Amino acid sequence: IQFSGDGRWIAGSIYGLHESGIWRVQVWSVDSGGPVGGPFPHQNRIYGLAFSPDSERLATATADNAAVVWDVVRGEEVLRLPHSSGVY
């Protein structure tokens, strides 16, 4: 679980939120408790979460052999940084 720097969001990884066998990251609004963007899908375990300084982007480190940057509100992948093995 990770809080955004401005305190607006909280992100957490979830296994099988909508489908069994799928890892996802969900961001929620701290004020409303409702989901924001996403869920952001991954095929494997999620090892780390980090918000950008302005809280508009979320980076995920995964066993998908990549670090991925997401636009929190739009729920879209912004950048994928592939690696030869899992990213921690």
Side-chain angles (χ1 to χ4, degrees):
I1 291 182
Q2 180 73 40
F3 276 94
S4 63
D6 62 8
R8 291 185 299 163
W9 320 123
I10 186 170
S13 63
I14 303 164
Y15 180 72
L17 177 62
H18 296 293
E19 300 175 37
S20 180
I22 300 293
W23 286 89
R24 298 177 188 273
V25 170
Q26 183 63 63
V27 177
W28 295 272
S29 166
V30 171
D31 289 337
S32 73
V36 177
F40 310 110
H42 290 284
Q43 296 302 312
N44 293 294
R45 184 177 304 273
I46 297 147
Y47 294 119
L49 306 168
F51 281 95
S52 62
D54 65 3
S55 301
E56 298 299 318
R57 303 276 189 265
L58 177 70
T60 56
T62 75
D64 292 349
N65 298 350
V68 183
V69 180
W70 304 89
D71 181 292
V72 173
V73 175
R74 291 193 328 246
E76 297 174 354
E77 185 177 312
V78 175
L79 177 66
R80 179 172 290 266
L81 302 166
H83 194 271
S84 60
S85 62
V87 177
Y88 297 88

